[in-house]
Amino acid sequence: MGYDEKQANRIREAFIDASNVTEKAMFGGLCFMVDDKLCICVRNADLLCRVGPDEFENALEKNGASTMTMGSRTMKGYVYVEEDALRNHKDFAYWVDTSLAYNKIAKPAKKRKSK
């Protein structure tokens, strides 16, 4: 796998005013962490957006959106978005804004103890 550098640069530009943004290789792509919480990942040219459980069903109704599954488990609050559904600036902005809005109230993942 990997990630599309053009799509990653779009995220970087969108996060220009966000504070405490880091990039981390995860989920077979490049994830953008905001305040040490996963916000958006670029995988190939698609996005994985953390929209939260309250926005999850509404987000799935958007063009190009699908659920994130791990094994047989649906990860409620995480949505994959196909590249074709991100070409329009307004659509791209929806996913960025929704992910950043949820990031403000999301709880950080529990830190794993190092062995």
Side-chain angles (χ1 to χ4, degrees):
M1 293 252 166
Y3 65 93
D4 181 271
E5 190 65 38
K6 182 179 172 188
Q7 201 72 291
N9 284 335
R10 288 179 78 193
I11 299 296
R12 289 179 184 112
E13 286 180 29
F15 283 11
I16 197 82
D17 292 328
S19 60
N20 197 22
V21 177
T22 56
E23 298 177 15
K24 189 174 194 176
M26 289 172 51
F27 300 115
L30 181 67
C31 292
F32 290 82
M33 312 289 285
V34 178
D35 294 326
D36 296 322
K37 299 176 277 187
L38 183 136
C39 190
I40 292 180
C41 298
V42 180
R43 186 173 170 196
N44 298 321
D46 299 341
L47 297 185
L48 170 63
C49 299
R50 187 177 184 196
V51 299
D54 293 343
E55 186 63 21
F56 181 68
E57 295 297 329
N58 183 46
L60 286 176
E61 294 177 12
K62 302 286 185 186
N63 181 39
S66 61
T67 59
M68 175 188 183
T69 55
M70 294 185 83
S72 62
R73 189 172 147 211
T74 297
M75 305 301 292
K76 194 166 185 177
Y78 294 85
V79 177
Y80 278 114
V81 186
E82 296 174 3
E83 175 187 16
D84 290 342
L86 300 166
R87 295 187 195 280
N88 178 304
H89 177 73
K90 182 179 175 184
D91 295 332
F92 178 79
Y94 165 80
W95 294 107
V96 169
D97 294 346
T98 302
S99 297
L100 283 170
Y102 181 68
N103 184 269
K104 291 176 183 175
I105 60 171
K107 293 186 179 3
K110 293 179 182 174
K111 301 271 185 189
R112 293 183 183 185
K113 293 181 181 179
S114 57
K115 293 179 181 182

